[in-house]
Amino acid sequence: MTLQDRTCIVTGSSRGIGRGIAEELGRHGANVVVNYRSSERDAYDVVDRIDSEGGTAIAVQADVTDEAEVEAMRETVTDTFGTANVLVNNAGITVDKKFEEMTREDWDLVMDVNLGGVFNCTSTFFPDLKEADHGRLINISSVVGQQGNYGQANYATTKSGLFGFTRTIALELARYDTTANCVAPGFVKTDMLDEVSERVQEKILQRIPLKRFAEVEDICGIVRFLASRDSCYMTGQVLGVNGGMEW
Ligand code: NAP
């Protein structure tokens, strides 16, 4: 139970990688906050799953792009569990198009969730991260932020942006003995990957030395480690979990 008594917020944890992370943290003793935007039923399924495995979790609706909703989420977390120890900025979206066809609206939408949401959640929970015992900020980036990817200029920009953000916040949080790190997964089997055509998926597979897409579970253990006290001397880092893809 390496996460006993640690309160962990996982944004966008009703589905996909976030769901896997929430369940993993719950299994290891954390109090888990399952945040979602619209998938209420999925979020309560995650809570039930964590409960059934002996953990503690609540579901909290908040669109990460909405500062007031994020602030309300913090109030709920504080009332329920007290100071949060860990914030996992996981919520993210794609709107894929060749750059020539990308509109300013497509650009702004992805910036707003993938970076604006990170700003809102990190600034709202910053006082908790300063105060917490072994506070942890964990940002979920992507190998696409390292390599770029055809048709993902907006998404790749947000995921690269998290590298500079993480390193800077790591410097600013260090005096509080709080760390900030980034996990950069490769291509993971979730709804997000399902949106990519089979032809493109085949091409991507050829670039992965381990010759398979990641399962959600392949990402979660790294996040669990970062959320724990065991990672206390690691900060400002980017951990690639990508089946050996080069960058
Ligand atoms: P996913 O299956 O599409 O799930 C996205 C999650 O984010 C859902 O729980 C969704 O909640 C939530 N979400 C979206 N917009 C939100 C908002 N405005 N406010 C709050 N929650 C919001 O995505 P995924 O594949 O698990 O990706 C999760 C993270 O990993 C993303 O940051 C993504 O960039 C990154 N990543 C994914 C891959 C991959 O191959 N899948 C690879 C590298 C990195 P609702 O259902 O309620 O909208």
Side-chain angles (χ1 to χ4, degrees), residues 11-18 35-39 62-65 90-93 113-114 140-143 155 159 185-188 190-193:
T11 68
S13 49
S14 48
R15 297 184 284 118
I17 296 172
N35 160 253
Y36 65 99
R37 176 185 49 183
S38 50
S39 302
D63 183 330
V64 294
T65 66
N90 167 78
I93 61 164
V113 177
N114 297 11
I140 306 299
S141 176
S142 168
V143 71
Y155 179 76
K159 294 297 166 180
F187 292 86
V188 188
T190 68
D191 296 345
M192 191 177 271
L193 188 61

PDB file of all heavy atoms in Angstrom, residues 11-18 35-39 62-65 90-93 113-114 140-143 155 159 185-188 190-193, ligand 1:
ATOM      1  N   THR A  11      -7.131  13.888 -13.652  1.00  0.00           N
ATOM      2  CA  THR A  11      -8.081  14.544 -14.557  1.00  0.00           C
ATOM      3  C   THR A  11      -8.363  13.609 -15.728  1.00  0.00           C
ATOM      4  O   THR A  11      -7.494  12.852 -16.166  1.00  0.00           O
ATOM      5  CB  THR A  11      -7.554  15.911 -15.056  1.00  0.00           C
ATOM      6  OG1 THR A  11      -6.437  15.707 -15.912  1.00  0.00           O
ATOM      7  CG2 THR A  11      -7.180  16.819 -13.889  1.00  0.00           C
ATOM      8  N   GLY A  12      -9.609  13.652 -16.196  1.00  0.00           N
ATOM      9  CA  GLY A  12      -9.998  12.800 -17.327  1.00  0.00           C
ATOM     10  C   GLY A  12      -9.802  11.334 -17.032  1.00  0.00           C
ATOM     11  O   GLY A  12      -9.161  10.606 -17.801  1.00  0.00           O
ATOM     12  N   SER A  13     -10.380  10.869 -15.906  1.00  0.00           N
ATOM     13  CA  SER A  13     -10.147   9.458 -15.559  1.00  0.00           C
ATOM     14  C   SER A  13     -11.410   8.608 -15.675  1.00  0.00           C
ATOM     15  O   SER A  13     -11.495   7.536 -15.090  1.00  0.00           O
ATOM     16  CB  SER A  13      -9.494   9.327 -14.180  1.00  0.00           C
ATOM     17  OG  SER A  13     -10.154  10.082 -13.220  1.00  0.00           O
ATOM     18  N   SER A  14     -12.363   9.065 -16.456  1.00  0.00           N
ATOM     19  CA  SER A  14     -13.553   8.236 -16.708  1.00  0.00           C
ATOM     20  C   SER A  14     -13.258   7.152 -17.737  1.00  0.00           C
ATOM     21  O   SER A  14     -13.961   6.141 -17.796  1.00  0.00           O
ATOM     22  CB  SER A  14     -14.708   9.114 -17.206  1.00  0.00           C
ATOM     23  OG  SER A  14     -14.277   9.975 -18.236  1.00  0.00           O
ATOM     24  N   ARG A  15     -12.228   7.388 -18.572  1.00  0.00           N
ATOM     25  CA  ARG A  15     -11.931   6.434 -19.652  1.00  0.00           C
ATOM     26  C   ARG A  15     -10.416   6.364 -19.864  1.00  0.00           C
ATOM     27  O   ARG A  15      -9.670   7.187 -19.346  1.00  0.00           O
ATOM     28  CB  ARG A  15     -12.573   6.898 -20.967  1.00  0.00           C
ATOM     29  CG  ARG A  15     -14.076   6.954 -20.929  1.00  0.00           C
ATOM     30  CD  ARG A  15     -14.665   7.336 -22.284  1.00  0.00           C
ATOM     31  NE  ARG A  15     -14.532   8.748 -22.575  1.00  0.00           N
ATOM     32  CZ  ARG A  15     -13.839   9.255 -23.591  1.00  0.00           C
ATOM     33  NH1 ARG A  15     -13.199   8.452 -24.432  1.00  0.00           N
ATOM     34  NH2 ARG A  15     -13.771  10.555 -23.793  1.00  0.00           N
ATOM     35  N   GLY A  16      -9.998   5.372 -20.663  1.00  0.00           N
ATOM     36  CA  GLY A  16      -8.642   5.331 -21.212  1.00  0.00           C
ATOM     37  C   GLY A  16      -7.532   5.281 -20.176  1.00  0.00           C
ATOM     38  O   GLY A  16      -7.627   4.609 -19.140  1.00  0.00           O
ATOM     39  N   ILE A  17      -6.457   6.008 -20.463  1.00  0.00           N
ATOM     40  CA  ILE A  17      -5.260   5.979 -19.620  1.00  0.00           C
ATOM     41  C   ILE A  17      -5.579   6.511 -18.223  1.00  0.00           C
ATOM     42  O   ILE A  17      -5.142   5.945 -17.212  1.00  0.00           O
ATOM     43  CB  ILE A  17      -4.125   6.813 -20.272  1.00  0.00           C
ATOM     44  CG1 ILE A  17      -3.705   6.183 -21.608  1.00  0.00           C
ATOM     45  CG2 ILE A  17      -2.940   6.943 -19.334  1.00  0.00           C
ATOM     46  CD1 ILE A  17      -2.730   7.030 -22.419  1.00  0.00           C
ATOM     47  N   GLY A  18      -6.364   7.575 -18.162  1.00  0.00           N
ATOM     48  CA  GLY A  18      -6.727   8.156 -16.864  1.00  0.00           C
ATOM     49  C   GLY A  18      -7.442   7.144 -15.998  1.00  0.00           C
ATOM     50  O   GLY A  18      -7.186   7.040 -14.790  1.00  0.00           O
ATOM     51  N   ASN A  35     -11.912  12.450 -11.965  1.00  0.00           N
ATOM     52  CA  ASN A  35     -12.498  13.615 -12.638  1.00  0.00           C
ATOM     53  C   ASN A  35     -12.966  13.242 -14.045  1.00  0.00           C
ATOM     54  O   ASN A  35     -12.343  12.441 -14.721  1.00  0.00           O
ATOM     55  CB  ASN A  35     -11.444  14.740 -12.719  1.00  0.00           C
ATOM     56  CG  ASN A  35     -11.780  15.767 -13.793  1.00  0.00           C
ATOM     57  OD1 ASN A  35     -11.128  15.810 -14.840  1.00  0.00           O
ATOM     58  ND2 ASN A  35     -12.795  16.560 -13.576  1.00  0.00           N
ATOM     59  N   TYR A  36     -14.084  13.841 -14.448  1.00  0.00           N
ATOM     60  CA  TYR A  36     -14.593  13.622 -15.811  1.00  0.00           C
ATOM     61  C   TYR A  36     -15.275  14.893 -16.289  1.00  0.00           C
ATOM     62  O   TYR A  36     -15.618  15.769 -15.481  1.00  0.00           O
ATOM     63  CB  TYR A  36     -15.590  12.443 -15.837  1.00  0.00           C
ATOM     64  CG  TYR A  36     -16.857  12.705 -15.049  1.00  0.00           C
ATOM     65  CD1 TYR A  36     -18.024  13.116 -15.678  1.00  0.00           C
ATOM     66  CD2 TYR A  36     -16.855  12.585 -13.653  1.00  0.00           C
ATOM     67  CE1 TYR A  36     -19.180  13.378 -14.946  1.00  0.00           C
ATOM     68  CE2 TYR A  36     -18.004  12.851 -12.915  1.00  0.00           C
ATOM     69  CZ  TYR A  36     -19.163  13.246 -13.572  1.00  0.00           C
ATOM     70  OH  TYR A  36     -20.297  13.531 -12.846  1.00  0.00           O
ATOM     71  N   ARG A  37     -15.458  14.968 -17.600  1.00  0.00           N
ATOM     72  CA  ARG A  37     -16.179  16.117 -18.165  1.00  0.00           C
ATOM     73  C   ARG A  37     -17.641  15.762 -18.391  1.00  0.00           C
ATOM     74  O   ARG A  37     -18.522  16.388 -17.849  1.00  0.00           O
ATOM     75  CB  ARG A  37     -15.523  16.546 -19.485  1.00  0.00           C
ATOM     76  CG  ARG A  37     -16.263  17.677 -20.190  1.00  0.00           C
ATOM     77  CD  ARG A  37     -15.638  17.975 -21.523  1.00  0.00           C
ATOM     78  NE  ARG A  37     -15.441  16.761 -22.299  1.00  0.00           N
ATOM     79  CZ  ARG A  37     -14.859  16.707 -23.479  1.00  0.00           C
ATOM     80  NH1 ARG A  37     -14.398  17.811 -24.035  1.00  0.00           N
ATOM     81  NH2 ARG A  37     -14.731  15.567 -24.123  1.00  0.00           N
ATOM     82  N   SER A  38     -17.882  14.653 -19.163  1.00  0.00           N
ATOM     83  CA  SER A  38     -19.278  14.328 -19.490  1.00  0.00           C
ATOM     84  C   SER A  38     -19.621  12.849 -19.288  1.00  0.00           C
ATOM     85  O   SER A  38     -20.802  12.514 -19.228  1.00  0.00           O
ATOM     86  CB  SER A  38     -19.573  14.728 -20.938  1.00  0.00           C
ATOM     87  OG  SER A  38     -18.574  14.192 -21.777  1.00  0.00           O
ATOM     88  N   SER A  39     -18.619  11.976 -19.163  1.00  0.00           N
ATOM     89  CA  SER A  39     -18.899  10.538 -19.067  1.00  0.00           C
ATOM     90  C   SER A  39     -19.199  10.132 -17.620  1.00  0.00           C
ATOM     91  O   SER A  39     -18.411   9.407 -16.984  1.00  0.00           O
ATOM     92  CB  SER A  39     -17.715   9.725 -19.603  1.00  0.00           C
ATOM     93  OG  SER A  39     -17.440  10.077 -20.924  1.00  0.00           O
ATOM     94  N   ALA A  62     -15.912  18.048 -13.672  1.00  0.00           N
ATOM     95  CA  ALA A  62     -15.353  19.390 -13.894  1.00  0.00           C
ATOM     96  C   ALA A  62     -14.710  19.389 -15.266  1.00  0.00           C
ATOM     97  O   ALA A  62     -13.883  18.531 -15.557  1.00  0.00           O
ATOM     98  CB  ALA A  62     -14.308  19.734 -12.834  1.00  0.00           C
ATOM     99  N   ASP A  63     -15.125  20.321 -16.087  1.00  0.00           N
ATOM    100  CA  ASP A  63     -14.439  20.519 -17.364  1.00  0.00           C
ATOM    101  C   ASP A  63     -13.159  21.286 -17.046  1.00  0.00           C
ATOM    102  O   ASP A  63     -13.231  22.398 -16.494  1.00  0.00           O
ATOM    103  CB  ASP A  63     -15.359  21.329 -18.298  1.00  0.00           C
ATOM    104  CG  ASP A  63     -14.763  21.516 -19.680  1.00  0.00           C
ATOM    105  OD1 ASP A  63     -13.516  21.558 -19.794  1.00  0.00           O
ATOM    106  OD2 ASP A  63     -15.537  21.631 -20.640  1.00  0.00           O
ATOM    107  N   VAL A  64     -12.018  20.712 -17.383  1.00  0.00           N
ATOM    108  CA  VAL A  64     -10.753  21.347 -16.972  1.00  0.00           C
ATOM    109  C   VAL A  64     -10.537  22.707 -17.627  1.00  0.00           C
ATOM    110  O   VAL A  64      -9.699  23.488 -17.170  1.00  0.00           O
ATOM    111  CB  VAL A  64      -9.524  20.419 -17.219  1.00  0.00           C
ATOM    112  CG1 VAL A  64      -9.574  19.180 -16.342  1.00  0.00           C
ATOM    113  CG2 VAL A  64      -9.369  20.069 -18.698  1.00  0.00           C
ATOM    114  N   THR A  65     -11.296  23.002 -18.675  1.00  0.00           N
ATOM    115  CA  THR A  65     -11.146  24.323 -19.314  1.00  0.00           C
ATOM    116  C   THR A  65     -11.919  25.407 -18.562  1.00  0.00           C
ATOM    117  O   THR A  65     -11.799  26.578 -18.884  1.00  0.00           O
ATOM    118  CB  THR A  65     -11.633  24.312 -20.783  1.00  0.00           C
ATOM    119  OG1 THR A  65     -13.053  24.090 -20.799  1.00  0.00           O
ATOM    120  CG2 THR A  65     -10.939  23.247 -21.603  1.00  0.00           C
ATOM    121  N   ASN A  90      -4.027  14.550 -16.799  1.00  0.00           N
ATOM    122  CA  ASN A  90      -4.151  13.537 -17.851  1.00  0.00           C
ATOM    123  C   ASN A  90      -5.143  13.925 -18.952  1.00  0.00           C
ATOM    124  O   ASN A  90      -4.968  13.521 -20.092  1.00  0.00           O
ATOM    125  CB  ASN A  90      -4.592  12.213 -17.201  1.00  0.00           C
ATOM    126  CG  ASN A  90      -5.057  11.206 -18.232  1.00  0.00           C
ATOM    127  OD1 ASN A  90      -4.253  10.560 -18.907  1.00  0.00           O
ATOM    128  ND2 ASN A  90      -6.376  11.079 -18.404  1.00  0.00           N
ATOM    129  N   ALA A  91      -6.182  14.697 -18.611  1.00  0.00           N
ATOM    130  CA  ALA A  91      -7.245  14.986 -19.601  1.00  0.00           C
ATOM    131  C   ALA A  91      -6.640  15.583 -20.864  1.00  0.00           C
ATOM    132  O   ALA A  91      -5.817  16.502 -20.803  1.00  0.00           O
ATOM    133  CB  ALA A  91      -8.255  15.963 -18.999  1.00  0.00           C
ATOM    134  N   GLY A  92      -7.032  15.042 -22.001  1.00  0.00           N
ATOM    135  CA  GLY A  92      -6.492  15.556 -23.261  1.00  0.00           C
ATOM    136  C   GLY A  92      -7.377  15.154 -24.421  1.00  0.00           C
ATOM    137  O   GLY A  92      -8.113  14.162 -24.333  1.00  0.00           O
ATOM    138  N   ILE A  93      -7.310  15.930 -25.495  1.00  0.00           N
ATOM    139  CA  ILE A  93      -8.098  15.622 -26.699  1.00  0.00           C
ATOM    140  C   ILE A  93      -7.227  15.786 -27.945  1.00  0.00           C
ATOM    141  O   ILE A  93      -6.152  16.396 -27.890  1.00  0.00           O
ATOM    142  CB  ILE A  93      -9.332  16.544 -26.842  1.00  0.00           C
ATOM    143  CG1 ILE A  93      -8.908  18.019 -26.955  1.00  0.00           C
ATOM    144  CG2 ILE A  93     -10.298  16.356 -25.681  1.00  0.00           C
ATOM    145  CD1 ILE A  93     -10.009  18.925 -27.487  1.00  0.00           C
ATOM    146  N   VAL A 113      -7.906  22.639 -23.957  1.00  0.00           N
ATOM    147  CA  VAL A 113      -7.991  21.466 -23.061  1.00  0.00           C
ATOM    148  C   VAL A 113      -6.590  21.042 -22.618  1.00  0.00           C
ATOM    149  O   VAL A 113      -6.310  20.917 -21.417  1.00  0.00           O
ATOM    150  CB  VAL A 113      -8.700  20.278 -23.756  1.00  0.00           C
ATOM    151  CG1 VAL A 113      -8.704  19.050 -22.836  1.00  0.00           C
ATOM    152  CG2 VAL A 113     -10.125  20.656 -24.161  1.00  0.00           C
ATOM    153  N   ASN A 114      -5.690  20.827 -23.576  1.00  0.00           N
ATOM    154  CA  ASN A 114      -4.416  20.154 -23.265  1.00  0.00           C
ATOM    155  C   ASN A 114      -3.419  21.052 -22.533  1.00  0.00           C
ATOM    156  O   ASN A 114      -2.570  20.550 -21.799  1.00  0.00           O
ATOM    157  CB  ASN A 114      -3.771  19.628 -24.551  1.00  0.00           C
ATOM    158  CG  ASN A 114      -4.616  18.564 -25.240  1.00  0.00           C
ATOM    159  OD1 ASN A 114      -5.770  18.344 -24.879  1.00  0.00           O
ATOM    160  ND2 ASN A 114      -4.058  17.911 -26.235  1.00  0.00           N
ATOM    161  N   ILE A 140       0.752  14.214 -18.188  1.00  0.00           N
ATOM    162  CA  ILE A 140       0.762  13.173 -19.219  1.00  0.00           C
ATOM    163  C   ILE A 140       0.939  13.832 -20.584  1.00  0.00           C
ATOM    164  O   ILE A 140       0.040  14.504 -21.109  1.00  0.00           O
ATOM    165  CB  ILE A 140      -0.529  12.318 -19.189  1.00  0.00           C
ATOM    166  CG1 ILE A 140      -0.774  11.734 -17.783  1.00  0.00           C
ATOM    167  CG2 ILE A 140      -0.424  11.200 -20.238  1.00  0.00           C
ATOM    168  CD1 ILE A 140       0.308  10.805 -17.233  1.00  0.00           C
ATOM    169  N   SER A 141       2.128  13.653 -21.128  1.00  0.00           N
ATOM    170  CA  SER A 141       2.461  14.195 -22.443  1.00  0.00           C
ATOM    171  C   SER A 141       2.292  13.080 -23.477  1.00  0.00           C
ATOM    172  O   SER A 141       1.358  12.271 -23.373  1.00  0.00           O
ATOM    173  CB  SER A 141       3.883  14.749 -22.409  1.00  0.00           C
ATOM    174  OG  SER A 141       4.257  15.201 -23.680  1.00  0.00           O
ATOM    175  N   SER A 142       3.202  13.014 -24.450  1.00  0.00           N
ATOM    176  CA  SER A 142       3.089  11.984 -25.493  1.00  0.00           C
ATOM    177  C   SER A 142       4.385  11.923 -26.281  1.00  0.00           C
ATOM    178  O   SER A 142       5.090  12.936 -26.418  1.00  0.00           O
ATOM    179  CB  SER A 142       1.958  12.336 -26.455  1.00  0.00           C
ATOM    180  OG  SER A 142       2.016  11.530 -27.602  1.00  0.00           O
ATOM    181  N   VAL A 143       4.672  10.768 -26.859  1.00  0.00           N
ATOM    182  CA  VAL A 143       5.804  10.641 -27.767  1.00  0.00           C
ATOM    183  C   VAL A 143       5.621  11.602 -28.955  1.00  0.00           C
ATOM    184  O   VAL A 143       6.601  12.051 -29.571  1.00  0.00           O
ATOM    185  CB  VAL A 143       5.960   9.171 -28.257  1.00  0.00           C
ATOM    186  CG1 VAL A 143       4.841   8.772 -29.211  1.00  0.00           C
ATOM    187  CG2 VAL A 143       7.321   8.934 -28.895  1.00  0.00           C
ATOM    188  N   TYR A 155      -1.969  19.159 -31.514  1.00  0.00           N
ATOM    189  CA  TYR A 155      -1.762  18.218 -30.405  1.00  0.00           C
ATOM    190  C   TYR A 155      -0.270  18.134 -30.026  1.00  0.00           C
ATOM    191  O   TYR A 155       0.100  18.203 -28.847  1.00  0.00           O
ATOM    192  CB  TYR A 155      -2.306  16.856 -30.832  1.00  0.00           C
ATOM    193  CG  TYR A 155      -2.158  15.749 -29.813  1.00  0.00           C
ATOM    194  CD1 TYR A 155      -2.996  15.686 -28.704  1.00  0.00           C
ATOM    195  CD2 TYR A 155      -1.193  14.750 -29.977  1.00  0.00           C
ATOM    196  CE1 TYR A 155      -2.870  14.651 -27.782  1.00  0.00           C
ATOM    197  CE2 TYR A 155      -1.064  13.719 -29.065  1.00  0.00           C
ATOM    198  CZ  TYR A 155      -1.898  13.673 -27.962  1.00  0.00           C
ATOM    199  OH  TYR A 155      -1.773  12.655 -27.058  1.00  0.00           O
ATOM    200  N   LYS A 159       1.682  18.883 -26.435  1.00  0.00           N
ATOM    201  CA  LYS A 159       2.413  17.839 -25.704  1.00  0.00           C
ATOM    202  C   LYS A 159       3.882  18.218 -25.528  1.00  0.00           C
ATOM    203  O   LYS A 159       4.503  17.891 -24.517  1.00  0.00           O
ATOM    204  CB  LYS A 159       2.240  16.489 -26.405  1.00  0.00           C
ATOM    205  CG  LYS A 159       0.788  15.986 -26.367  1.00  0.00           C
ATOM    206  CD  LYS A 159       0.332  15.728 -24.937  1.00  0.00           C
ATOM    207  CE  LYS A 159      -1.136  15.545 -24.747  1.00  0.00           C
ATOM    208  NZ  LYS A 159      -1.532  15.298 -23.363  1.00  0.00           N
ATOM    209  N   PRO A 185       3.785   8.768 -22.973  1.00  0.00           N
ATOM    210  CA  PRO A 185       3.474   7.440 -23.523  1.00  0.00           C
ATOM    211  C   PRO A 185       3.638   7.421 -25.039  1.00  0.00           C
ATOM    212  O   PRO A 185       3.532   8.453 -25.707  1.00  0.00           O
ATOM    213  CB  PRO A 185       1.999   7.239 -23.157  1.00  0.00           C
ATOM    214  CG  PRO A 185       1.676   8.265 -22.124  1.00  0.00           C
ATOM    215  CD  PRO A 185       2.598   9.413 -22.402  1.00  0.00           C
ATOM    216  N   GLY A 186       3.868   6.207 -25.541  1.00  0.00           N
ATOM    217  CA  GLY A 186       3.787   6.003 -26.988  1.00  0.00           C
ATOM    218  C   GLY A 186       2.320   5.894 -27.372  1.00  0.00           C
ATOM    219  O   GLY A 186       1.474   6.607 -26.827  1.00  0.00           O
ATOM    220  N   PHE A 187       1.990   4.980 -28.272  1.00  0.00           N
ATOM    221  CA  PHE A 187       0.607   4.847 -28.738  1.00  0.00           C
ATOM    222  C   PHE A 187      -0.099   3.768 -27.906  1.00  0.00           C
ATOM    223  O   PHE A 187       0.355   2.631 -27.837  1.00  0.00           O
ATOM    224  CB  PHE A 187       0.603   4.517 -30.232  1.00  0.00           C
ATOM    225  CG  PHE A 187       1.110   5.688 -31.051  1.00  0.00           C
ATOM    226  CD1 PHE A 187       2.475   5.867 -31.278  1.00  0.00           C
ATOM    227  CD2 PHE A 187       0.227   6.632 -31.550  1.00  0.00           C
ATOM    228  CE1 PHE A 187       2.945   6.961 -31.995  1.00  0.00           C
ATOM    229  CE2 PHE A 187       0.686   7.729 -32.270  1.00  0.00           C
ATOM    230  CZ  PHE A 187       2.056   7.886 -32.498  1.00  0.00           C
ATOM    231  N   VAL A 188      -1.196   4.173 -27.274  1.00  0.00           N
ATOM    232  CA  VAL A 188      -1.856   3.329 -26.286  1.00  0.00           C
ATOM    233  C   VAL A 188      -3.265   2.986 -26.778  1.00  0.00           C
ATOM    234  O   VAL A 188      -3.965   3.856 -27.317  1.00  0.00           O
ATOM    235  CB  VAL A 188      -1.970   4.083 -24.930  1.00  0.00           C
ATOM    236  CG1 VAL A 188      -2.476   3.142 -23.840  1.00  0.00           C
ATOM    237  CG2 VAL A 188      -0.628   4.693 -24.538  1.00  0.00           C
ATOM    238  N   THR A 190      -6.619   3.054 -26.653  1.00  0.00           N
ATOM    239  CA  THR A 190      -7.768   3.726 -26.016  1.00  0.00           C
ATOM    240  C   THR A 190      -8.667   4.267 -27.124  1.00  0.00           C
ATOM    241  O   THR A 190      -8.345   4.145 -28.308  1.00  0.00           O
ATOM    242  CB  THR A 190      -7.311   4.931 -25.150  1.00  0.00           C
ATOM    243  OG1 THR A 190      -6.815   5.945 -26.033  1.00  0.00           O
ATOM    244  CG2 THR A 190      -6.247   4.554 -24.146  1.00  0.00           C
ATOM    245  N   ASP A 191      -9.754   4.930 -26.722  1.00  0.00           N
ATOM    246  CA  ASP A 191     -10.651   5.553 -27.712  1.00  0.00           C
ATOM    247  C   ASP A 191      -9.886   6.521 -28.609  1.00  0.00           C
ATOM    248  O   ASP A 191     -10.213   6.685 -29.786  1.00  0.00           O
ATOM    249  CB  ASP A 191     -11.772   6.333 -26.999  1.00  0.00           C
ATOM    250  CG  ASP A 191     -12.675   5.419 -26.191  1.00  0.00           C
ATOM    251  OD1 ASP A 191     -12.624   4.186 -26.399  1.00  0.00           O
ATOM    252  OD2 ASP A 191     -13.440   5.938 -25.345  1.00  0.00           O
ATOM    253  N   MET A 192      -8.849   7.167 -28.029  1.00  0.00           N
ATOM    254  CA  MET A 192      -8.087   8.153 -28.811  1.00  0.00           C
ATOM    255  C   MET A 192      -7.390   7.481 -29.988  1.00  0.00           C
ATOM    256  O   MET A 192      -7.389   8.002 -31.105  1.00  0.00           O
ATOM    257  CB  MET A 192      -7.066   8.845 -27.894  1.00  0.00           C
ATOM    258  CG  MET A 192      -6.405  10.047 -28.520  1.00  0.00           C
ATOM    259  SD  MET A 192      -5.268  10.868 -27.371  1.00  0.00           S
ATOM    260  CE  MET A 192      -6.338  12.017 -26.537  1.00  0.00           C
ATOM    261  N   LEU A 193      -6.822   6.293 -29.739  1.00  0.00           N
ATOM    262  CA  LEU A 193      -6.124   5.575 -30.829  1.00  0.00           C
ATOM    263  C   LEU A 193      -7.142   5.018 -31.834  1.00  0.00           C
ATOM    264  O   LEU A 193      -6.858   4.942 -33.033  1.00  0.00           O
ATOM    265  CB  LEU A 193      -5.257   4.452 -30.244  1.00  0.00           C
ATOM    266  CG  LEU A 193      -4.328   3.732 -31.227  1.00  0.00           C
ATOM    267  CD1 LEU A 193      -3.318   4.692 -31.866  1.00  0.00           C
ATOM    268  CD2 LEU A 193      -3.572   2.594 -30.549  1.00  0.00           C
TER     269      LEU A 193
HETATM  270  P1  NAP B   1      -9.432   9.117 -24.075  1.00  0.00           P
HETATM  271  O1  NAP B   1      -9.569   7.651 -24.042  1.00  0.00           O
HETATM  272  O2  NAP B   1     -10.000   9.890 -25.213  1.00  0.00           O
HETATM  273  O3  NAP B   1      -9.996   9.698 -22.682  1.00  0.00           O
HETATM  274  C1  NAP B   1      -9.930  11.080 -22.467  1.00  0.00           C
HETATM  275  C2  NAP B   1     -10.334  11.391 -21.050  1.00  0.00           C
HETATM  276  O4  NAP B   1     -10.176  12.805 -20.856  1.00  0.00           O
HETATM  277  C3  NAP B   1     -11.804  11.065 -20.773  1.00  0.00           C
HETATM  278  O5  NAP B   1     -11.912  10.599 -19.445  1.00  0.00           O
HETATM  279  C4  NAP B   1     -12.477  12.429 -20.914  1.00  0.00           C
HETATM  280  O6  NAP B   1     -13.632  12.565 -20.096  1.00  0.00           O
HETATM  281  C5  NAP B   1     -11.404  13.356 -20.400  1.00  0.00           C
HETATM  282  N1  NAP B   1     -11.547  14.725 -20.876  1.00  0.00           N
HETATM  283  C6  NAP B   1     -11.483  15.194 -22.131  1.00  0.00           C
HETATM  284  N2  NAP B   1     -11.680  16.506 -22.150  1.00  0.00           N
HETATM  285  C7  NAP B   1     -11.868  16.887 -20.860  1.00  0.00           C
HETATM  286  C8  NAP B   1     -12.120  18.109 -20.230  1.00  0.00           C
HETATM  287  N3  NAP B   1     -12.237  19.257 -20.925  1.00  0.00           N
HETATM  288  N4  NAP B   1     -12.268  18.141 -18.886  1.00  0.00           N
HETATM  289  C9  NAP B   1     -12.167  16.996 -18.151  1.00  0.00           C
HETATM  290  N5  NAP B   1     -11.929  15.800 -18.704  1.00  0.00           N
HETATM  291  C10 NAP B   1     -11.784  15.748 -20.044  1.00  0.00           C
HETATM  292  O7  NAP B   1      -7.887   9.561 -24.037  1.00  0.00           O
HETATM  293  P2  NAP B   1      -6.593   8.705 -23.641  1.00  0.00           P
HETATM  294  O8  NAP B   1      -6.106   8.036 -24.856  1.00  0.00           O
HETATM  295  O9  NAP B   1      -6.854   7.946 -22.426  1.00  0.00           O
HETATM  296  O10 NAP B   1      -5.568   9.905 -23.329  1.00  0.00           O
HETATM  297  C11 NAP B   1      -5.354  10.373 -22.018  1.00  0.00           C
HETATM  298  C12 NAP B   1      -4.120  11.259 -22.028  1.00  0.00           C
HETATM  299  O11 NAP B   1      -3.004  10.503 -22.508  1.00  0.00           O
HETATM  300  C13 NAP B   1      -4.232  12.467 -22.952  1.00  0.00           C
HETATM  301  O12 NAP B   1      -3.597  13.574 -22.373  1.00  0.00           O
HETATM  302  C14 NAP B   1      -3.479  12.032 -24.187  1.00  0.00           C
HETATM  303  O13 NAP B   1      -2.968  13.107 -24.885  1.00  0.00           O
HETATM  304  C15 NAP B   1      -2.404  11.180 -23.585  1.00  0.00           C
HETATM  305  N6  NAP B   1      -1.830  10.190 -24.495  1.00  0.00           N
HETATM  306  C16 NAP B   1      -2.623   9.258 -25.121  1.00  0.00           C
HETATM  307  C17 NAP B   1      -2.026   8.342 -25.990  1.00  0.00           C
HETATM  308  C18 NAP B   1      -2.820   7.283 -26.709  1.00  0.00           C
HETATM  309  O14 NAP B   1      -2.255   6.674 -27.652  1.00  0.00           O
HETATM  310  N7  NAP B   1      -4.039   7.001 -26.354  1.00  0.00           N
HETATM  311  C19 NAP B   1      -0.642   8.385 -26.205  1.00  0.00           C
HETATM  312  C20 NAP B   1       0.115   9.343 -25.544  1.00  0.00           C
HETATM  313  C21 NAP B   1      -0.482  10.232 -24.685  1.00  0.00           C
HETATM  314  P3  NAP B   1     -15.120  12.562 -20.735  1.00  0.00           P
HETATM  315  O15 NAP B   1     -15.312  11.215 -21.349  1.00  0.00           O
HETATM  316  O16 NAP B   1     -16.023  12.808 -19.576  1.00  0.00           O
HETATM  317  O17 NAP B   1     -15.111  13.657 -21.770  1.00  0.00           O
END
